[in-house]
């Protein structure tokens, strides 16, 4: 018997800022052009999906997928506080309708790392008005989400909550310490989740709402187990707690995290001999099933894999990694874990928050011409869905 049930989402994911290009009203655009930006280069035209999204959708549909996860860009919908761009709402509505016509169920994310520059200038998620501002964004966007079955409120709030502490400490500290959650930011994100959920429930009672967490599977050195569990509790699990009452939970898993105690502090403990991907992360495909099992047990919610993938220049390695991750997922399903879909990160080689070098895509994108070239992994992964149907 096949593990993956009928109606399982087989999709790929993108986020607005990483593919659209010229996302000029967003806080990230400002960051990329500020002195001392940590990245190699700014996002610029990215993949020009702002104009070429039809090609992106067509490639996915032709390869046999049945779903597409993408993100509406808040700073395009509300470029100034309270000023809603009807043209951009219409723009995203056309993407949703076209996806439907192509047989792709859209899973729409309302916030994927980028906020309007005006929100961040106010103080970002830590500002007392932020939750209501986000709920207003959700309410405005609800007008175009009719018929969308699944909505992701916020992508990886746990990463967003680490960002202020990380930026204050400097990115170079990442290799030797684990950043703490910024409490006011975390609190603002949880309140924003609750306020947006209420706003959407009122307007779209049939939509299934959830949020997606950067899920970790820890490998603590002997003696570091309790400290690792405590760190995971405060930097990740609090966001699962906040999902109580949601309709599903998004799992995003890439690698494992090895940690140890040094002078009483929990610190990264990378294996020097480990095989690594282009992001420097340990090659560890079992992360997906380990995270899905943990998160499903912790939350009791149906899980959707909203991201999983690998940064590699070798597409055969992508196929091997993804195949191993999906074998583990199939095993979890066979063991009774409730998983409803798999979205690969990413559809395109895109802007990886500071650099175009780590290539996660099922499709290559020429940086000059924006020509899309599907990699063999695109057709290979699409077959999971077509095989299920046959
Ligand atoms: C994010 C994506 C990112 C990916 C790979 C996730 O943390 O949601 O935007 O590109 O991981 O780093």
């Amino acid at each position: 018997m096949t593990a993956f049930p009928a109606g399982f989402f087989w999709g790929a994911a993108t986020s607005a800022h990483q593919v659209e290009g010229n996302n000029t009203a967003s806080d990230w655009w400002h960051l990329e052009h500020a002195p001392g930006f940590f990245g190699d280069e700014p996002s610029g035209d990215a993949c020009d999906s702002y104009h070429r999204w039809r090609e992106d959708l067509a490639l996915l549909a032709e390869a046999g997928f049945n779903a597409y996860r993408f993100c509406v860009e808040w700073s395009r919908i509300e470029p100034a506080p309270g000023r809603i761009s009807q043209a951009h709402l219409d723009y995203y509505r056309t993407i949703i309708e076209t996806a439907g016509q192509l047989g792709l169920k859209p899973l729409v994310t309302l916030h994927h790392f980028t906020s309007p520059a005006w929100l961040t200038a106010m103080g970002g998620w830590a500002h007392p008005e932020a939750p209501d501002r986000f709920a207003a964004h959700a309410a405005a966007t609800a007008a175009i989400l009719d018929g969308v079955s699944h909505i992701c409120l916020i992508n990886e709030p746990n990463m967003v909550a680490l960002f202020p502490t990380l930026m204050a400490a400097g990115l170079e500290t990442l290799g030797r310490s684990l950043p703490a959650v910024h409490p006011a930011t975390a609190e603002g994100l949880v309140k924003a989740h609750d306020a947006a959920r209420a706003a959407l429930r009122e307007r779209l009672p049939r939509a299934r709402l959830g949020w997606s967490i950067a899920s970790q599977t820890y490998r603590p050195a002997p003696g570091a187990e309790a400290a690792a569990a405590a760190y995971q509790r405060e930097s990740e699990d609090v966001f699962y707690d906040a999902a109580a009452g949601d309709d599903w939970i998004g799992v995003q898993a890439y690698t494992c995290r090895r940690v140890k105690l040094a002078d009483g502090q929990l610190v990264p403990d990378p294996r020097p001999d480990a095989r690594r991907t282009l992001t420097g992360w340990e090659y560890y495909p079992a992360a997906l099933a380990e995270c899905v099992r943990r998160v499903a047990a912790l939350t009791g919610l149906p899980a959707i894999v909203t991201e999983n993938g690998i940064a590699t220049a070798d597409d055969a390695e992508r196929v091997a990694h993804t195949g191993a991750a999906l074998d583990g997922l199939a095993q979890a399903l066979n063991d009774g874990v409730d998983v409803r879909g798999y979205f690969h990160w990413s559809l395109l080689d895109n802007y990886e928050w500071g650099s175009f070098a780590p290539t996660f895509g099922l499709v290559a994108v020429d940086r000059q011409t924006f020509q899309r070239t599907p990699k063999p992994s695109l057709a290979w992964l699409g077959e999971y869905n077509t095989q299920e149907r046959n």
Side-chain angles (χ1 to χ4, degrees):
M1 207 187 70
T2 169
F4 298 106
F8 196 79
F9 291 122
W10 286 106
T14 59
S15 87
H17 189 75
Q18 293 177 271
V19 299
E20 285 183 353
N22 298 296
N23 189 19
T24 56
S26 71
D27 56 351
W28 266 84
W29 184 271
H30 285 249
L31 180 71
E32 289 164 16
H33 295 91
F37 175 52
F38 57 79
D40 302 341
E41 58 180 312
S43 52
D45 289 322
C47 304
D48 193 31
S49 289
Y50 185 78
H51 299 106
R52 294 167 201 261
W53 58 268
R54 283 176 198 277
E55 281 178 60
D56 302 342
L57 264 59
L59 284 168
L60 201 55
E62 277 158 26
F65 291 81
N66 66 13
Y68 178 50
R69 174 180 178 227
F70 79 102
C71 164
V72 297
E73 174 57 39
W74 182 4
S75 69
R76 292 201 201 270
I77 292 177
E78 192 178 359
R83 296 276 164 203
I84 302 297
S85 163
Q86 185 59 45
H88 276 107
L89 285 178
D90 293 348
Y91 170 83
Y92 289 118
R93 180 67 198 171
T94 310
I95 298 180
I96 290 167
E97 287 180 2
T98 307
Q101 287 153 11
L102 290 169
L104 298 169
K105 292 187 204 79
L107 187 154
V108 179
T109 304
L110 298 184
H111 184 277
H112 192 128
F113 290 172
T114 50
S115 293
W118 57 260
L119 184 88
T120 302
M122 267 167 56
W125 293 109
H127 191 278
E129 278 177 30
D132 287 344
R133 297 282 186 171
F134 183 62
H137 164 55
T141 308
I144 59 152
L145 297 178
D146 184 38
V148 172
S149 65
H150 287 71
I151 299 167
C152 172
L153 301 171
I154 300 176
N155 179 76
E156 296 190 352
N158 53 328
M159 289 295 129
V160 179
L162 296 178
F163 200 64
T165 3
L166 193 54
M167 293 307 278
L171 273 183
E172 67 286 354
T173 59
L174 251 189
R176 45 177 205 275
S177 62
L178 295 166
V181 156
H182 186 254
T185 302
E187 196 184 317
L189 284 158
V190 169
K191 285 187 179 156
H193 162 280
D194 295 351
R197 184 176 66 184
L200 291 179
R201 287 249 192 271
E202 195 186 317
R203 289 164 178 82
L204 300 166
R206 288 207 301 272
R208 307 262 167 82
L209 311 178
W211 65 353
S212 293
I213 310 300
S215 305
Q216 310 290 345
T217 181
Y218 280 83
R219 288 285 162 281
E225 295 85 353
Y231 180 72
Q232 186 163 25
R233 181 87 232 98
E234 70 201 31
S235 63
E236 180 181 339
D237 296 353
V238 290
F239 297 94
Y240 300 126
D241 295 347
D246 283 5
D247 302 303
W248 56 275
I249 184 77
V251 177
Q252 314 207 145
Y254 289 92
T255 185
C256 67
R257 182 174 269 178
R258 297 185 192 274
V259 288
K260 66 177 179 190
L261 285 176
D263 299 329
Q265 293 293 315
L266 192 71
V267 296
D269 182 28
R271 267 179 40 191
D273 56 342
R275 175 175 170 188
R276 297 200 176 274
T277 71
L278 289 179
T279 40
W281 301 342
E282 183 172 333
Y283 181 99
Y284 192 81
L288 181 61
E290 289 176 12
C291 288
V292 164
R293 285 175 190 272
R294 178 176 188 275
V295 173
L298 209 59
T299 61
L301 292 170
I304 300 178
V305 178
T306 41
E307 287 184 26
N308 170 250
I310 176 173
T312 175
D314 174 2
D315 197 50
E317 187 180 39
R318 183 177 344 276
V319 167
H321 182 272
T322 308
L326 287 172
D327 286 349
L329 192 65
Q331 192 55 57
L333 275 143
N334 280 332
D335 291 345
V337 181
D338 187 357
V339 189
R340 306 285 174 94
Y342 175 86
F343 289 84
H344 192 76
W345 185 269
S346 178
L347 176 59
L348 305 175
D349 285 346
N350 61 26
Y351 184 63
E352 183 55 31
W353 308 109
S355 172
F356 287 90
T359 42
F360 277 93
L362 301 167
V363 175
V365 179
D366 185 294
R367 296 287 317 285
Q368 302 307 317
T369 64
F370 306 109
Q371 191 186 327
R372 275 76 171 133
T373 307
K375 304 177 192 176
S377 53
L378 180 74
W380 169 83
L381 187 54
E383 274 180 23
Y384 274 84
N385 180 42
T386 48
Q387 275 167 9
E388 295 301 317
R389 284 202 308 249
N390 292 334

